[in-house]
Amino acid sequence: NTAVFSLVQAALFRPLVPLAPEQIVSVHTATRGAERSFRRFSYVEFERIAAERDLFTGVSALTVARVGFGTAPGESPQRILSHLVSANYFDLLGIQPAIGRFFTAEEGAPGSGHAVLVASHGFWQRHGGGADFVGRTVWVNGLPCTVIGVTPPEFGGLSALMAPDFWLPLGYYGQIGSTASRTRGHRDLRRSDNHTLLLTARLAAGLDLATASAR
């Protein structure tokens, strides 16, 4: 396989990414010579690509999950779209929390199991918009989870078609899984055949897309 890079037009990213949106690229895998043979990445592949420091100043990972959300134990849950992301996701894009904080490296580590979430600004407002929402215990798939932060109003993720209500750390993948993985039965993020991650990267300074693609 070879890595293929596509630069999303800066005009599309500019309202979402305040920090040098022209450096943001999506990363894909493709079988050599195949026109339509794309797949997602495993966590092991994510780590390997993130180590290419001459290509990228940072690489973040994301997977999508539909979860049940409730504000009290035992209540009938709402079906919610969430994103599980690596700890550097918001920092890579230059996003600062409106309230609270984002994820730590420990919370993003595979298998860490920290039950924390970051709410979108719209989701926070739909639940009262109070400062006390941060620190509140909510229920995700029937399990208690602590709200640690809220995103700024202008940020709802990188795709309007997949804007989540909240984000969870990748370290919580074992409790949630993914609706996008081709191996949905796997809850172990470190399995080499668990291809569930979408990657977003920031090109190294002075590096153009053609050079990155050739690499």
Side-chain angles (χ1 to χ4, degrees), residues 103-122:
F103 304 124
T104 66
E106 181 182 357
E107 290 164 347
S112 61
H114 290 276
V116 292
L117 69 82
V118 171
S120 71
H121 200 272

Side-chain angles (χ1 to χ4, degrees), residues 5 57 64 75 111 134:
F5 307 92
T57 58
V64 179
E75 75 175 12
V134 172

Side-chain angles (χ1 to χ4, degrees), residues 14-98:
R14 190 162 288 113
L16 304 174
V17 180
L19 177 63
E22 69 280 0
Q23 295 176 345
I24 296 297
V25 295
S26 55
V27 187
H28 307 276
T29 59
T31 302
R32 291 185 187 276
E35 293 183 2
R36 297 180 181 276
S37 184
F38 296 101
R39 66 159 173 79
R40 294 175 180 239
F41 291 91
S42 68
Y43 190 87
V44 174
E45 290 170 328
F46 161 54
E47 288 185 310
R48 188 160 64 238
I49 291 170
E52 297 287 341
R53 304 303 294 180
D54 59 329
L55 279 178
F56 307 118
T57 58
V59 182
S60 67
L62 174 152
T63 192
V64 179
R66 287 203 172 273
V67 299
F69 174 84
T71 56
E75 75 175 12
S76 181
Q78 306 172 13
R79 296 301 291 173
I80 295 294
L81 180 66
S82 67
H83 288 177
L84 291 95
V85 296
S86 54
N88 67 335
Y89 174 78
F90 297 104
D91 185 58
L92 182 83
L93 301 175
I95 306 299
Q96 299 295 319

